[in-house]
Amino acid sequence: MAVTGIVLVLFLVAHMLGNLKVFAGQTSFDHYAHWLREIGTPVLPGVWFLWILRTGLLVSVVAHIAAATALARRARAARPVRYAHRKKVRGSYAARTMRWGGVIILLFVIYHLLDLTAGTLNPVGDPSRPYANVVADFAPSRWYVTLFYTLAVVSVGFHLRHGLFSALRSLGQQTPHGERRARMVALLFSVALCAGYLVVPFAVLTGLVD
């Protein structure tokens, strides 16, 4: 679960950096989007690289969900009979809502693909005009899209904060000092990633990007 999570985090970072190119202007952003479709040519025809990437991400997502399910079943099997009297464990919001956060993120990914990849839910929906798709998507009149996007990104932040800390522990970090450092790294990384994703829709919403 830790390894598949790290694969997905690396994709999130790369995707965020690509999104930020919207601030370089329409020409630069459109060129970047078209370049993604041409990676690997002429060795790989057409958009094969993107489909290879998508397949790898899909495998990672399925493996991540499978690992989460296996861990949940293992936890229930370890304690088949509930405690008669058990004090509530004080945990972080992210830890308590990890599973539901994953469901919210999955639903958002489906919407996001239909919106900005397939274009079926986008006002423009033209794959040759990615910059126009982004601007139309987060226009002030579509504030509800920005709100949904914000809620999803915040869910990613909570999920990532807890998941990154857990991954570091799973991969060998066990000392008290290292645990404090891991918590801080997970928090700062999650906040930075959320900010990187949210700055684009709010820039469009406020007219900074048009």
Side-chain angles (χ1 to χ4, degrees):
M1 189 169 187
V3 172
T4 55
I6 290 174
V7 170
L8 295 173
V9 168
L10 292 176
F11 166 75
L12 286 174
V13 172
H15 189 37
M16 179 198 70
L17 295 175
N19 288 352
L20 293 177
K21 288 188 72 66
V22 75
F23 292 102
Q26 180 175 351
T27 301
S28 179
F29 187 77
D30 286 350
H31 180 270
Y32 165 73
H34 295 316
W35 170 76
L36 288 176
R37 296 176 176 273
E38 298 173 355
I39 296 178
T41 56
V43 177
L44 297 175
V47 294
W48 276 36
F49 174 81
L50 279 180
W51 281 109
I52 293 172
L53 178 63
R54 289 165 181 166
T55 301
L57 289 172
L58 179 61
V59 170
S60 296
V61 168
V62 172
H64 197 67
I65 294 174
T69 303
L71 288 174
R73 289 178 177 175
R74 202 175 291 177
R76 285 196 297 269
R79 174 56 61 178
V81 179
R82 293 180 178 272
Y83 290 105
H85 300 285
R86 182 182 180 185
K87 294 182 179 179
K88 292 184 178 180
V89 178
R90 295 184 62 185
S92 68
Y93 175 82
R96 295 196 304 270
T97 60
M98 198 67 174
R99 294 172 193 170
W100 283 111
V103 173
I104 293 172
I105 294 167
L106 179 60
L107 293 176
F108 170 73
V109 167
I110 294 173
Y111 170 82
H112 193 56
L113 290 174
L114 292 174
D115 180 21
L116 290 174
T117 300
T120 55
L121 299 180
N122 189 275
V124 175
D126 186 348
S128 66
R129 301 170 60 199
Y131 184 91
N133 292 336
V134 172
V135 172
D137 201 33
F138 300 114
S141 60
R142 287 167 56 86
W143 58 267
Y144 50 89
V145 174
T146 301
L147 177 61
F148 179 43
Y149 188 92
T150 301
L151 293 175
V153 169
V154 171
S155 295
V156 170
F158 280 119
H159 195 88
L160 183 59
R161 175 192 169 197
H162 180 72
L164 183 58
F165 170 72
S166 298
L168 291 173
R169 288 182 61 84
S170 297
L171 295 175
Q173 198 306 109
Q174 299 292 336
T175 66
H177 176 70
E179 179 176 333
R180 291 192 297 271
R181 184 169 55 189
R183 288 186 184 278
M184 182 59 64
V185 168
L187 175 61
L188 294 177
F189 184 86
S190 301
V191 170
L193 193 76
C194 286
Y197 273 100
L198 291 179
V199 70
V200 173
F202 279 97
V204 176
L205 183 67
T206 57
L208 183 61
V209 171
D210 55 23

